[in-house]
Amino acid sequence: MMSPAGRLPLRFSTQTLLLQLGVVLLVVLLSGAVHAWLTFERLGREAENQALTLARTVASDPSVRANVQAISRQAGTPPPAELKAGPLMAVAEGARTRTGALFVVITDETGLRLAHPDADRLGERVSTDPSEALAGREVTTRNTGTLGPSAGAKVPVFAPDAASGAGAGSGSRTVVGEVSVGYSTESIGQSLARDIVPIVLTAAGSLAAGVLASFLLRRRLQRLTLGLEPEEIGALVHDQVAVLEGVDEGVVGISADGRISVFNAGAQRLLGQPDLAGQLWQDAPLPARLKSLTLPDAREGEAVELVAGEQVLVASARKALHRREDLGWVVMLRDRTELQHLTRQLDAVGTMSTALRAQRHEFANQLHTIAGFMSIGQHQQARAYLERLAATGPLKFPVDQAELLQDPYLQAFIGAKGVEADERGVSLRIGPETLVRGQVTEPQDVTTVLGNLIDNAVNAAVAGSAAERWVELELLDSEGDDGGGTLHVVVADSGDGLPDGGNPEAVFAEGFTTATGNGVRGPGRAGGGQGLGLALARQLARRRGGDVTVLEPGNVGGPGAVFMATLPGTTTAAAARKE
């Protein structure tokens, strides 16, 4: 915004710098002036005390007192020539010469000069008021006389017959004159000039230090505010509050020093944590996979999936830069739980649709066969073909011992999975111990857990080195105390088992998958939607009070790993089904 004069206004940091410089300059000037004034006053007092000491010395000289008394008793004042050659002039000039005083003046009781540096002034009245001294009181003065400005003192001269001279008590003292001594204030100025050098140097040093500190403070202010004006900072704060608190996504800001600077309400909700602002990012109680997004070798902007609490999250991290300055990281979190559940449901629906399409194709072939028999008049053969179809029932899924399944949902779902497995060269079979007397009441949870286990087993079988590829599935249900049923699932395969003997718990970590590039179980590809199946299945089972565990890690060459899942409350009791 342009000022009325057409010039850009000064930036806040510049205004602050100028204000600081003005304050520093003012303080230095005031301090220097006060210091100089105090020094001048000190030198003036020292000159007054020195003049007072010299005046007392001259006034207490017996010869001075006697000569002044003798002159005071005369009817008039001696002529200047006589005074110039007299003893008072000699004493006064001797004292002035020895001490460097501006003047040493001796007067009689009326204030007429009896000794003066300027002989032409002898016999004249002094230019400054001598009444205080002639009244018997010592005074210090700063006056401007015939010889110029001076700091001096006036001391009375007592008659020789006084009790004890200058310092005697009152009562027997007779003032016969006074002695005035003065030191030029020019000499005081010269002394001040000698002392003013340290003052000036100190003031200059203070000013330089203040200027340097102001520039350093300005630079720090610019660095802390990123060169933004106060109005811009205020606007950013309002925008930040509006954006961070107005979105459902989680936002986590990590400063350049590794501390959490922003942890909005969305992040608290998705991660199940309180506000962690101020804590070190690496020490915060957050998933390790989330922290790995900000490692130096992490690829910026790459999205990964992770499980936090009961939710599946998609997280990504980006560097925060401002004018090439590294401000840290910004981590974005999005909830994908519902989408994950819908994906599993769609997978199940797609699998069943594939099986239904196969049934439809086979049924069409059967109808064409019957139509062919009828068209050629082979009614007996058509009747026999129909009898065979009625005996064998509808199209059977490629699942060995599928007749052990009584629940229609399990029949359809496992049969569809059998079709998929058969297309990949894997035989899906039902174990002989399978017995499900109840009916599935939570198909979504059963689909998620059972589908994950079967898909992982099929992948392992395909990647395995065994000649025969198979997946065996056993299902049992049991009645609970609350009348509900618990479904127990055991899944085995012909694969090569868990990698390197496998840590059974490692397979449930986020990122572990059986769908890597070489088909071997191991760390999954970040951001590919893989590596979450087992972790999600275990979390779902535990949320219902069950679990998903590894019974056997398996061996290279087969048989492979054996997984077991327990899903309480997913089936009805057998008695309820009979009713």
Side-chain angles (χ1 to χ4, degrees), residues 58 95 142 144 230 238 330 381 396 400 403 407 458 514 527 577:
V58 174
R142 294 188 189 180
T144 301
H238 286 94
V330 176
Q381 292 189 8
K396 292 184 178 180
D400 295 342
E403 63 275 6
D407 180 80
V458 171
T514 59
R577 179 169 181 179

Side-chain angles (χ1 to χ4, degrees), residues 397-406 411 414-415 429-430:
F397 292 115
V399 178
D400 295 342
Q401 303 189 85
E403 63 275 6
L404 296 176
L405 296 173
Q406 299 300 318
Q411 287 179 348
I414 295 176
R429 61 196 186 199
I430 305 299

Side-chain angles (χ1 to χ4, degrees), residues 226-481:
L226 305 178
L228 299 177
E229 295 298 303
E231 297 81 3
E232 296 174 324
I233 296 175
L236 284 177
V237 171
H238 286 94
D239 293 344
Q240 175 182 336
V241 173
V243 172
L244 295 183
E245 303 304 328
V247 297
D248 292 333
E249 287 78 6
V251 180
V252 181
I254 300 98
S255 61
D257 60 356
R259 291 190 177 275
I260 299 176
S261 57
V262 175
F263 203 81
N264 75 335
Q268 298 174 36
R269 175 177 54 82
L270 295 177
L271 295 174
Q273 296 289 341
D275 191 358
L276 300 178
Q279 294 192 24
L280 287 173
W281 170 244
Q282 293 302 328
D283 296 339
L286 299 174
R289 198 173 186 196
L290 183 62
K291 297 178 183 178
S292 66
L293 295 174
T294 61
L295 295 177
D297 56 348
R299 286 186 289 181
E300 183 179 350
E302 183 178 16
V304 299
E305 290 184 349
L306 59 122
V307 177
E310 300 178 358
Q311 296 168 307
V312 179
L313 306 179
V314 178
S316 61
R318 292 188 179 277
K319 266 288 184 184
L321 300 175
H322 180 77
R323 298 176 182 175
R324 299 183 180 179
E325 182 178 356
D326 185 4
L327 303 181
W329 291 85
V330 176
V331 178
M332 299 294 297
L333 301 169
R334 293 180 294 276
D335 191 357
R336 200 180 173 184
T337 306
E338 294 299 327
L339 181 60
Q340 190 78 9
H341 290 164
L342 290 175
T343 301
R344 284 293 172 185
Q345 290 180 351
L346 289 176
D347 287 344
V349 172
T351 301
M352 293 180 182
S353 298
T354 302
L356 290 176
R357 282 197 299 270
Q359 276 191 329
R360 175 179 175 277
H361 180 73
E362 183 65 19
F363 184 68
N365 291 336
Q366 292 171 354
L367 289 179
H368 284 303
T369 301
I370 295 173
F373 281 134
M374 298 296 292
S375 63
I376 61 177
Q378 299 293 330
H379 300 93
Q380 187 63 31
Q381 292 189 8
R383 186 179 299 108
Y385 182 69
L386 287 173
E387 291 176 355
R388 287 196 302 272
L389 290 179
T392 58
L395 173 66
K396 292 184 178 180
F397 292 115
V399 178
D400 295 342
Q401 303 189 85
E403 63 275 6
L404 296 176
L405 296 173
Q406 299 300 318
D407 180 80
Y409 178 81
L410 291 177
Q411 287 179 348
F413 182 72
I414 295 176
K417 287 294 182 182
V419 173
E420 286 187 347
D422 186 65
E423 291 177 352
R424 301 181 65 184
V426 179
S427 173
L428 179 62
R429 61 196 186 199
I430 305 299
E433 303 297 328
T434 294
L435 178 61
V436 180
R437 295 167 296 173
Q439 186 173 3
V440 173
T441 58
E442 298 291 339
Q444 181 174 342
D445 290 351
V446 173
T447 298
T448 300
V449 176
L450 188 58
N452 271 303
L453 294 179
I454 294 177
D455 290 344
N456 289 344
V458 171
N459 290 335
V462 171
S465 56
E468 182 183 359
R469 299 175 177 177
W470 53 266
V471 172
E472 184 170 296
L473 176 67
E474 287 190 350
L475 299 99
L476 297 170
D477 68 337
S478 61
E479 296 185 11
D481 296 335

